[in-house]
Amino acid sequence: MHAVKRIEIIANSFELGKILDSLNKAGVHGHAVIRNVAGKGLRDGHEDLDMTMLDNVYIIAFCKPDLIKPVVENLTPLLNKFGGTCYISEVMEIRSIKCVASL
Amino acid sequence: MHAVKRIEIIANSFELGKILDSLNKAGVHGHAVIRNVAGKGLRDGHEDLDMTMLDNVYIIAFCKPDLIKPVVENLTPLLNKFGGTCYISEVMEIRSIKCVASL
Amino acid sequence: MHAVKRIEIIANSFELGKILDSLNKAGVHGHAVIRNVAGKGLRDGHEDLDMTMLDNVYIIAFCKPDLIKPVVENLTPLLNKFGGTCYISEVMEIRSIKCVASL
Amino acid sequence: MDGSLIISNILNPPILFFFLGMTAVLVKSDLEIPPPVPKLLSLYLLFAIGFKGGVELIKSGITQEVALTLLAAMLMACFVPIYTFFILKLKLDNYDAAAIAATYGSISAVTFITASAFLTELGIAFDGYMVAALALMESPAIIVGLILVNLFTVDEKRELAWSEVLKEAFLNSSVFLLVGSLLIGLLSGEHGWKVMEPFAQGLFYGMLTFFLLDMGLVAARRIKDLQKTGVFLISFAILIPILNAGIGLLIAKLIGMPQGNALLFAVLCASASYIAVPAAIRITVPEANPSLYVSTALAVTFPFNIIVGIPLYLYGIELLWR
Amino acid sequence: MDGSLIISNILNPPILFFFLGMTAVLVKSDLEIPPPVPKLLSLYLLFAIGFKGGVELIKSGITQEVALTLLAAMLMACFVPIYTFFILKLKLDNYDAAAIAATYGSISAVTFITASAFLTELGIAFDGYMVAALALMESPAIIVGLILVNLFTVDEKRELAWSEVLKEAFLNSSVFLLVGSLLIGLLSGEHGWKVMEPFAQGLFYGMLTFFLLDMGLVAARRIKDLQKTGVFLISFAILIPILNAGIGLLIAKLIGMPQGNALLFAVLCASASYIAVPAAIRITVPEANPSLYVSTALAVTFPFNIIVGIPLYLYGIELLWR
Amino acid sequence: MDGSLIISNILNPPILFFFLGMTAVLVKSDLEIPPPVPKLLSLYLLFAIGFKGGVELIKSGITQEVALTLLAAMLMACFVPIYTFFILKLKLDNYDAAAIAATYGSISAVTFITASAFLTELGIAFDGYMVAALALMESPAIIVGLILVNLFTVDEKRELAWSEVLKEAFLNSSVFLLVGSLLIGLLSGEHGWKVMEPFAQGLFYGMLTFFLLDMGLVAARRIKDLQKTGVFLISFAILIPILNAGIGLLIAKLIGMPQGNALLFAVLCASASYIAVPAAIRITVPEANPSLYVSTALAVTFPFNIIVGIPLYLYGIELLWR
Ligand SMILES: Nc1ncnc2c1ncn2[C@@H]1O[C@H](COP(=O)(O)O)[C@@H](O)[C@H]1O
Ligand SMILES: Nc1ncnc2c1ncn2[C@@H]1O[C@H](COP(=O)(O)O)[C@@H](O)[C@H]1O
Ligand SMILES: Nc1ncnc2c1ncn2[C@@H]1O[C@H](COP(=O)(O)O)[C@@H](O)[C@H]1O
Ligand code: NA
Ligand code: NA
Ligand code: NA
């Protein structure tokens, strides 16, 4: 077990591509995405799962602590422009070795 | 970046309205809701996504640390009556400024 | 409020049964499962929600700190064999008393 | 009864798919109808049956026969939860007894639909206004159930819940969509039916089939819950439907219902709600244990009714109406 | 207009289900069409209308009449956002004004579909190529809207967004599926129609009905947003559609469209986009407030058009074409 | 072959929607069929084809012709994975070779369905019992694949997996629903078909069309994976289907199948599984790399078969059966 950081981002689904790109550029290559998240934030005053374009995504990415700085630098302008929130916390990772034979 | 608290609640979907109300009354105005969560807890001994009324919701809300006390006070009777669980943890928030022109 | 551990597991949905079994054997009886999680990890280089068999599940389980050791021991071989990731963090639990009349 | 009714019932595709669903769980296949498809199927079935019922109700008009039938429906919906409550109290606490009583006082729309499909198969006529009886029988049991809880338990805070109870009883999505579709059927009549027919009628059997496939999966998954419920509740879940159907048939005979209607009425009396009532009870009587009231209705009474009950009650009609 | 048009419109099942959806929210029923079903319904409707339009377009061919109609459609799609922008600027900032202008310059496919269902009811003919007009009118307003933002605001970084704007305007899923289905309809013709008919035509009313049920739910939930939008926007959302429909009708009369086509053209001019344009605007003009441009289109203009607007515009046609 | 077969195949709406899906990904449209709709479509298609096949099988009965066809199907399902395994071993390790071999030994139901739609278009008859051949060919390759892994690798723990392998092979949701629907079709016969027809037949093309739209999206998204797979696997994914279809046609000719059946048999031999087998392999041979066995079957063989393969094999039949 070793310490890593957990990045949680909640944003409108149309931002998903841009956010994953910027995570990727910051060196964070793994992520999980939960779709169809309803919510209420500063910007939009209502539950907004109702139409196609207004649902949020919840993105989780775990990464090494030293990647947090570039991640934050990359994400902040995006979130400022299009909305969304980002939180960071501490977790322990259980290392696992993958068994893919060939790539 | 500054420290905030993360509130996680897992409860039956019929409680959603009541829980959001009580968060709201405690001063927590932002939240995200994931529907169709299956689960097993103390109360019901089975995976229960099968029918309409038995699915859980997973509610996440980030808030200032001083709101935790009223949140807990408001939520506890609800969870005691209808079931559900609530957990609180520490996270760092990446501040973002929203750019809505007018409201 | 008292301290518990939060176990987060992201894995392919076909592993769900095996993972819940091994949590159960380690003494962790409560859990919540979110289906249809897209993601990218070490093993598969793409968003893979597209077909029936390739979607991930996101499993959350809260448990007493002393259960972490058996959980990790049980899970590691599974994750090594079939892929998936596991993270552990600290949370505070709001105790709630359930009101089921009879079982 | 030479068993031929049961067999011709069982050889229907919808019933066979119900068995297929049960088999899938028993042999541990990973077959599943992914959510929210089952919910969609149930919305469709409520819409289709309500709309068609409304269209036929406007054709038949509200005669004395209709009024008598609806009265009988109301009566049974109030009477069944009361008498079953006292039977259940023999073994269960007040909360669980009231919850299960409410479940059995209400109805299962899919059982009704399966019965009407069975009648159509056999060429036995029935009236569209039976859907109105179905709609009327959904809610009263919820209210009777809560009255029973209030009478037999002492709990200060419960008073407050009345507005919520009424909301749950009359505005829950099943009741609301069914009644709404019925009214829209009434308003749009024959003309509205013509444009909706390929959707509301053509797809009906197929949707029912898929829904029963899912019900088979769900019922089989619930079977293991039955171990906790015990022999008392399992016998209850088989005997009470037969008893209720019997009472229903006597009333039907008394007020001179035609055979098709009588079967549907018996099925309404015999069936138990596994969606609307449990949802309402969970909110209004959270002390009751859901696995008791859901599992008996879903894993015992529902399969019993659609497999054995429907042909059995029809056999009863053949005897009584002779 | 003796109100009979409005009444015969209102008594249609799809419109009645729209009301049922609104009622469900008002009485706080928990009825909902679970996601992603509404999205599926809208994919189906776009597919069905596009495919059918394509099949009929290949039958009629591209005559001068068709060309004139399409030209008029393009014109209105560019003109409406420009003039409404200046009206909106009276009260709103440039971002919101451009966003709402774009919304009203584009169209609502479901309003169009409801209007064509209404014509079919009344036995008034219309041409399949009107779907091509619909397709042509979806995108231009998005581009005009962004040009207006660029002209009236100073923002360095906006330049970069052009490729994204074009992508959003022409490749968003609604436009793409509609145009794609239209082209496939063109290619597969009468022969392709025969095998698809039970799906693309038979289910059409039912799917529209369920979609309008959902739209009723959504529109009613949005109503509380209207408090924030104020009287100016609410009047805008009713008066501008009437004005646009009026201009549309005059153009239609001028170029000699038949009555059915004229109604559809008026409805296209009068309707506002609540899916494609808001999605595009959210990305290209994030400064605009979504609750303004979505709520007016969805909670005011959409219900107004399908309930009052369609019969009203038809009444206008009866007067003008006499 | 004057290309007219390919063109009349391509101008089918389902195939055109497959291209539309691919185009959507290539031009970066945000079109998507939201989950779980694709899964629902595939459940529907398996149900419809199985049920119809069962109904027709009971009509035709099990003659010697049927028995010979089913035998040939079993044979090819076992033989294909064995010989392709050795071809694949030239470039890949044992795990990947066995996984891909299993994929190509099994079948793709949607390719089969597309081929039968093509035959219907052209007015060429085929027998319902070919669905039984389809069902028989789904599972054996999974088992053969695992035997090959066991023979050619040394891994103590693998022994334990046999019960799981059999479960995955015969009880995975695709096989289970197909076989179940076939049996229910057998049991309910012509009579059951009558009530299910509007659902099981009327919607069939439309559902296939939407499913192929989704397959187009999925296949195109997978195309970038092909860079990793390399030229060897891409050529494999085109040449082996042709070879398998060729062998299939020879056997079909030998045992005297009629032309329609022969085409379906060739298509079964030529197609590769991208749902059932990958799901099973992922569990039983986790060492194999999913992007190899899924992408070849999905992004190369599937499009090749439905666009070029089906008309090509039919051309082969025209030559051979002359
Ligand atoms: N304090 C919060 N806690 C949880 N989720 C939040 C919070 N604030 C915002 N969100 C989520 O982030 C989305 C976008 O936030 P915003 O940009 O503030 O509108 C909202 O729709 C919520 O789903
Ligand atoms: N220890 C736990 N870890 C994760 N989720 C839990 C836990 N306990 C309960 N839950 C979730 O909370 C729901 C309600 O819990 P309960 O009220 O205990 O039945 C369950 O269905 C689970 O989804
Ligand atoms: N660093 C990470 N952060 C978040 N999710 C991850 C990460 N790595 C893997 N995952 C998730 O776990 C799944 C399986 O991971 P893997 O076994 O590495 O392919 C992926 O599809 C992701 O959804
Ligand atoms: Na009853
Ligand atoms: Na317009
Ligand atoms: Na094959």
Side-chain angles (χ1 to χ4, degrees):
Chain A
M1 294 214 292
H2 59 287
V4 298
K5 295 277 184 178
R6 178 178 199 278
I7 306 167
E8 287 167 273
I9 302 165
I10 308 175
N12 192 286
S13 59
F14 74 78
E15 296 171 61
L16 179 59
K18 295 186 193 8
I19 291 174
L20 295 185
D21 280 356
S22 86
L23 283 178
N24 221 18
K25 270 183 209 138
V28 179
H29 303 300
H31 62 254
V33 178
I34 299 172
R35 309 267 305 253
N36 290 324
V37 173
K40 186 164 110 78
L42 291 179
R43 173 185 282 247
D44 35 39
H46 48 79
E47 299 285 309
D48 51 10
L49 201 58
D50 42 37
M51 293 311 298
T52 261
M53 91 272 180
L54 291 168
D55 54 327
N56 292 323
V57 287
Y58 180 62
I59 305 166
I60 310 168
F62 297 95
C63 69
K64 293 204 216 97
D66 50 342
L67 292 175
I68 289 300
K69 216 174 143 253
V71 164
V72 171
E73 271 160 18
N74 274 336
L75 276 180
T76 313
L78 256 182
L79 299 181
N80 279 348
K81 184 159 181 201
F82 296 111
T85 47
C86 174
Y87 299 90
I88 288 163
S89 50
E90 322 271 333
V91 298
M92 300 300 293
E93 182 177 41
I94 310 299
R95 253 226 208 293
S96 67
I97 313 117
K98 307 297 150 48
C99 58
V100 173
S102 64
L103 269 170
Chain B
M1 293 214 294
H2 59 286
V4 298
K5 294 279 184 179
R6 177 177 200 279
I7 307 167
E8 287 167 272
I9 302 164
I10 308 175
N12 192 286
S13 59
F14 74 78
E15 297 171 59
L16 180 59
K18 295 185 192 8
I19 291 174
L20 295 184
D21 280 355
S22 88
L23 283 177
N24 221 17
K25 270 183 209 140
V28 179
H29 303 299
H31 62 255
V33 179
I34 300 172
R35 309 268 304 252
N36 289 325
V37 174
K40 185 164 110 77
L42 291 180
R43 173 185 283 248
D44 35 38
H46 48 80
E47 299 285 309
D48 50 9
L49 202 57
D50 43 36
M51 292 313 297
T52 262
M53 91 273 179
L54 292 168
D55 54 326
N56 293 323
V57 288
Y58 180 62
I59 305 166
I60 311 168
F62 297 95
C63 70
K64 295 203 215 95
D66 50 342
L67 293 175
I68 289 301
K69 216 175 142 256
V71 164
V72 171
E73 270 160 21
N74 274 336
L75 276 179
T76 313
L78 256 182
L79 301 180
N80 278 350
K81 182 157 182 205
F82 296 111
T85 48
C86 174
Y87 299 89
I88 288 164
S89 51
E90 321 270 333
V91 298
M92 300 299 293
E93 182 177 41
I94 311 298
R95 253 225 206 294
S96 67
I97 314 114
K98 307 295 150 51
C99 58
V100 173
S102 64
L103 268 171
Chain C
M1 292 212 294
H2 59 287
V4 299
K5 295 278 184 179
R6 178 180 200 276
I7 306 168
E8 288 168 272
I9 302 165
I10 308 174
N12 192 286
S13 57
F14 75 78
E15 296 170 61
L16 179 59
K18 295 186 196 355
I19 291 174
L20 295 185
D21 280 356
S22 88
L23 283 177
N24 221 18
K25 269 182 212 142
V28 179
H29 303 299
H31 62 256
V33 178
I34 299 172
R35 308 270 304 254
N36 289 323
V37 174
K40 186 163 108 79
L42 291 179
R43 173 186 281 248
D44 35 38
H46 48 80
E47 298 285 311
D48 51 8
L49 201 57
D50 42 37
M51 291 313 296
T52 261
M53 91 269 181
L54 291 168
D55 54 327
N56 292 323
V57 287
Y58 180 61
I59 306 166
I60 311 168
F62 297 96
C63 69
K64 293 203 216 97
D66 50 341
L67 293 175
I68 289 301
K69 215 174 144 257
V71 164
V72 171
E73 269 160 22
N74 273 336
L75 276 179
T76 313
L78 255 182
L79 299 180
N80 280 350
K81 182 155 182 205
F82 296 111
T85 49
C86 175
Y87 299 90
I88 288 164
S89 50
E90 321 270 332
V91 298
M92 298 300 292
E93 182 178 41
I94 311 298
R95 253 227 208 291
S96 67
I97 313 117
K98 306 297 150 47
C99 57
V100 174
S102 64
L103 268 170
Chain D
M1 181 158 76
D2 52 9
S4 74
L5 276 176
I6 289 196
I7 289 185
S8 91
N9 179 44
I10 285 180
L11 287 186
N12 259 322
I15 305 293
L16 289 169
F17 274 94
F18 180 81
F19 285 117
L20 190 67
M22 294 198 94
T23 312
V25 173
L26 297 182
V27 301
K28 304 208 155 122
S29 167
D30 62 342
L31 182 64
E32 64 154 7
I33 311 288
V37 177
K39 196 168 176 186
L40 179 65
L41 296 172
S42 103
L43 291 179
Y44 168 85
L45 291 174
L46 290 168
F47 151 78
I49 195 180
F51 188 70
K52 197 179 172 197
V55 171
E56 292 187 15
L57 193 50
I58 196 78
K59 277 198 284 184
S60 75
I62 305 218
T63 61
Q64 196 204 338
E65 191 185 307
V66 178
L68 268 179
T69 305
L70 299 187
L71 202 76
M74 285 291 284
L75 206 107
M76 280 301 279
C78 297
F79 169 62
V80 168
I82 296 174
Y83 95 83
T84 50
F85 175 72
F86 291 101
I87 296 179
L88 288 159
K89 263 183 60 119
L90 296 177
K91 290 273 183 180
L92 302 173
D93 68 25
N94 290 318
Y95 297 116
D96 284 334
I100 301 175
T103 308
Y104 280 80
S106 183
I107 53 83
S108 146
V110 173
T111 310
F112 178 90
I113 290 171
T114 310
S116 62
F118 184 57
L119 288 174
T120 311
E121 287 282 290
L122 298 179
I124 301 176
F126 57 90
D127 287 302
Y129 62 74
M130 289 309 293
V131 175
L134 163 77
L136 273 182
M137 288 179 81
E138 285 219 60
S139 312
I142 297 172
I143 296 172
V144 173
L146 205 81
I147 291 176
L148 290 169
V149 169
N150 272 11
L151 287 179
F152 287 84
T153 62
V154 265
D155 183 347
E156 308 299 279
K157 284 173 297 180
R158 195 164 299 277
E159 297 300 312
L160 295 165
W162 272 108
S163 75
E164 201 153 27
V165 175
L166 293 174
K167 197 191 120 195
E168 287 305 318
F170 294 109
L171 299 174
N172 75 65
S173 58
S174 309
V175 174
F176 187 86
L177 184 59
L178 181 74
V179 173
S181 303
L182 189 88
L183 293 178
I184 293 178
L186 279 174
L187 282 172
S188 48
E190 194 62 41
H191 181 72
W193 177 248
K194 236 179 53 204
V195 294
M196 298 297 271
E197 194 179 348
F199 184 75
Q201 178 72 56
L203 304 189
F204 195 70
Y205 277 81
M207 298 296 234
L208 178 61
T209 298
F210 262 77
F211 191 77
L212 283 180
L213 174 60
D214 185 60
M215 288 298 294
L217 294 165
V218 170
R221 270 185 237 133
R222 288 272 166 181
I223 279 177
K224 65 171 184 283
D225 276 17
L226 292 181
Q227 300 161 343
K228 285 183 238 156
T229 56
V231 178
F232 172 72
L233 266 186
I234 298 177
S235 346
F236 175 92
I238 290 178
L239 298 177
I240 289 297
I242 301 180
L243 183 58
N244 288 343
I247 303 176
L249 287 184
L250 291 178
I251 297 180
K253 179 79 190 169
L254 211 74
I255 64 177
M257 283 191 203
Q259 297 196 15
N261 295 5
L263 179 72
L264 293 181
F265 184 60
V267 162
L268 288 175
C269 297
S271 68
S273 167
Y274 46 83
I275 299 183
V277 175
I281 291 293
R282 187 122 181 204
I283 298 175
T284 52
V285 192
E287 297 89 347
N289 180 356
S291 62
L292 296 186
Y293 53 86
V294 177
S295 301
T296 43
L298 204 55
V300 185
T301 303
F302 178 77
F304 173 76
N305 272 330
I306 65 163
I307 298 167
V308 182
I310 296 175
L312 181 70
Y313 312 148
L314 189 60
Y315 179 67
I317 290 173
E318 286 178 2
L319 295 182
L320 272 169
W321 264 246
R322 197 145 47 183
Chain E
M1 181 159 75
D2 51 10
S4 74
L5 276 177
I6 289 195
I7 289 183
S8 91
N9 180 44
I10 285 181
L11 287 187
N12 260 322
I15 305 293
L16 288 170
F17 274 94
F18 181 80
F19 285 117
L20 190 66
M22 296 198 91
T23 312
V25 173
L26 297 183
V27 302
K28 304 209 155 119
S29 166
D30 62 341
L31 181 66
E32 64 155 5
I33 311 287
V37 177
K39 196 169 176 187
L40 180 66
L41 295 173
S42 103
L43 292 179
Y44 168 84
L45 290 174
L46 291 168
F47 151 79
I49 194 179
F51 188 72
K52 195 179 175 196
V55 171
E56 291 187 15
L57 193 51
I58 196 78
K59 278 199 283 187
S60 73
I62 304 218
T63 61
Q64 195 204 337
E65 192 184 307
V66 178
L68 268 177
T69 304
L70 299 187
L71 201 75
M74 284 292 283
L75 206 106
M76 280 301 279
C78 298
F79 170 62
V80 168
I82 297 176
Y83 95 84
T84 49
F85 175 71
F86 290 102
I87 296 179
L88 287 159
K89 262 182 60 118
L90 295 177
K91 291 273 183 179
L92 301 173
D93 69 26
N94 290 317
Y95 296 115
D96 284 333
I100 300 176
T103 307
Y104 280 81
S106 184
I107 53 84
S108 145
V110 174
T111 312
F112 178 90
I113 289 170
T114 311
S116 61
F118 184 56
L119 289 174
T120 312
E121 287 281 289
L122 298 178
I124 302 176
F126 58 89
D127 287 303
Y129 63 74
M130 290 310 293
V131 176
L134 162 78
L136 272 181
M137 287 180 80
E138 286 220 60
S139 311
I142 297 172
I143 296 172
V144 173
L146 205 82
I147 292 177
L148 290 169
V149 170
N150 272 10
L151 287 178
F152 288 85
T153 63
V154 267
D155 184 347
E156 309 299 278
K157 284 173 297 181
R158 194 162 301 277
E159 298 299 313
L160 296 165
W162 273 108
S163 74
E164 199 153 29
V165 176
L166 293 173
K167 197 192 120 196
E168 286 305 318
F170 294 109
L171 299 175
N172 74 64
S173 58
S174 309
V175 174
F176 187 86
L177 184 58
L178 181 74
V179 173
S181 304
L182 189 88
L183 294 177
I184 292 178
L186 279 173
L187 283 172
S188 48
E190 194 63 40
H191 181 72
W193 178 248
K194 236 180 49 202
V195 294
M196 297 298 270
E197 194 178 348
F199 184 76
Q201 178 72 54
L203 303 189
F204 196 71
Y205 275 82
M207 297 296 233
L208 178 63
T209 297
F210 261 77
F211 192 77
L212 283 180
L213 174 60
D214 186 60
M215 288 296 296
L217 294 166
V218 170
R221 268 185 237 134
R222 288 272 168 182
I223 279 177
K224 65 171 185 282
D225 277 15
L226 292 180
Q227 300 163 343
K228 286 183 237 156
T229 57
V231 177
F232 172 72
L233 266 186
I234 296 177
S235 348
F236 175 92
I238 290 178
L239 298 177
I240 290 296
I242 301 181
L243 184 58
N244 288 343
I247 303 175
L249 286 184
L250 290 177
I251 297 180
K253 177 80 190 167
L254 212 74
I255 64 177
M257 281 191 205
Q259 297 195 16
N261 295 4
L263 179 73
L264 293 182
F265 185 60
V267 162
L268 288 176
C269 297
S271 69
S273 168
Y274 46 82
I275 298 183
V277 175
I281 291 293
R282 187 121 182 205
I283 297 174
T284 53
V285 192
E287 298 89 346
N289 179 356
S291 62
L292 296 185
Y293 54 86
V294 177
S295 302
T296 45
L298 203 56
V300 185
T301 303
F302 178 77
F304 173 77
N305 272 330
I306 63 163
I307 297 167
V308 182
I310 296 174
L312 181 70
Y313 312 148
L314 189 61
Y315 179 67
I317 290 174
E318 286 179 1
L319 294 181
L320 272 170
W321 264 247
R322 195 146 48 184
Chain F
M1 180 159 77
D2 51 10
S4 75
L5 275 178
I6 288 194
I7 289 185
S8 90
N9 180 43
I10 285 180
L11 287 186
N12 259 322
I15 305 293
L16 288 169
F17 274 93
F18 181 81
F19 285 117
L20 189 68
M22 295 199 92
T23 312
V25 173
L26 297 182
V27 302
K28 304 207 156 122
S29 166
D30 61 343
L31 182 65
E32 64 155 6
I33 311 287
V37 178
K39 195 166 176 190
L40 178 65
L41 295 173
S42 103
L43 291 179
Y44 169 85
L45 290 174
L46 290 168
F47 151 77
I49 194 180
F51 188 71
K52 197 180 172 194
V55 171
E56 291 188 15
L57 194 50
I58 196 76
K59 278 198 282 185
S60 74
I62 304 219
T63 60
Q64 195 204 338
E65 193 184 306
V66 178
L68 267 178
T69 304
L70 298 187
L71 201 76
M74 284 293 283
L75 206 107
M76 280 300 280
C78 297
F79 170 62
V80 168
I82 296 175
Y83 95 84
T84 51
F85 176 71
F86 291 102
I87 297 179
L88 287 159
K89 264 183 59 117
L90 296 177
K91 290 273 184 180
L92 301 173
D93 68 25
N94 290 319
Y95 296 116
D96 284 334
I100 301 176
T103 307
Y104 281 80
S106 183
I107 53 85
S108 145
V110 173
T111 311
F112 177 90
I113 289 170
T114 310
S116 62
F118 185 57
L119 288 174
T120 312
E121 286 283 288
L122 298 178
I124 302 176
F126 57 90
D127 287 303
Y129 64 73
M130 290 308 293
V131 175
L134 162 78
L136 272 182
M137 287 179 81
E138 286 219 62
S139 311
I142 297 172
I143 296 170
V144 173
L146 204 82
I147 292 176
L148 290 169
V149 169
N150 272 10
L151 286 178
F152 288 85
T153 64
V154 266
D155 184 347
E156 309 299 278
K157 284 173 298 182
R158 196 163 298 280
E159 298 300 313
L160 297 164
W162 271 109
S163 75
E164 200 152 30
V165 174
L166 293 174
K167 196 191 122 196
E168 286 305 317
F170 294 108
L171 298 175
N172 75 65
S173 58
S174 309
V175 174
F176 187 86
L177 183 58
L178 182 74
V179 174
S181 304
L182 190 87
L183 294 177
I184 293 178
L186 279 174
L187 282 172
S188 48
E190 194 63 41
H191 181 72
W193 178 247
K194 236 179 53 203
V195 294
M196 298 298 271
E197 193 178 350
F199 184 76
Q201 177 72 54
L203 303 188
F204 195 72
Y205 277 82
M207 297 297 234
L208 178 63
T209 297
F210 261 78
F211 192 77
L212 283 180
L213 174 60
D214 185 60
M215 288 297 295
L217 294 165
V218 171
R221 269 185 236 134
R222 288 272 167 180
I223 279 177
K224 65 172 186 284
D225 276 15
L226 292 180
Q227 299 162 345
K228 286 183 237 156
T229 56
V231 178
F232 172 72
L233 265 187
I234 297 177
S235 344
F236 174 92
I238 290 178
L239 298 177
I240 290 296
I242 301 181
L243 184 58
N244 287 344
I247 303 176
L249 287 184
L250 290 178
I251 296 179
K253 178 80 190 167
L254 213 73
I255 64 178
M257 282 190 204
Q259 297 197 17
N261 295 4
L263 179 72
L264 293 181
F265 184 60
V267 163
L268 287 176
C269 296
S271 68
S273 167
Y274 46 82
I275 298 183
V277 175
I281 291 293
R282 188 121 181 205
I283 298 173
T284 53
V285 192
E287 298 89 346
N289 179 357
S291 63
L292 296 185
Y293 54 86
V294 178
S295 302
T296 45
L298 203 55
V300 184
T301 303
F302 178 77
F304 172 78
N305 272 330
I306 64 164
I307 298 167
V308 182
I310 296 175
L312 181 71
Y313 312 148
L314 188 61
Y315 179 67
I317 289 174
E318 286 178 1
L319 295 181
L320 272 170
W321 264 245
R322 200 148 40 188

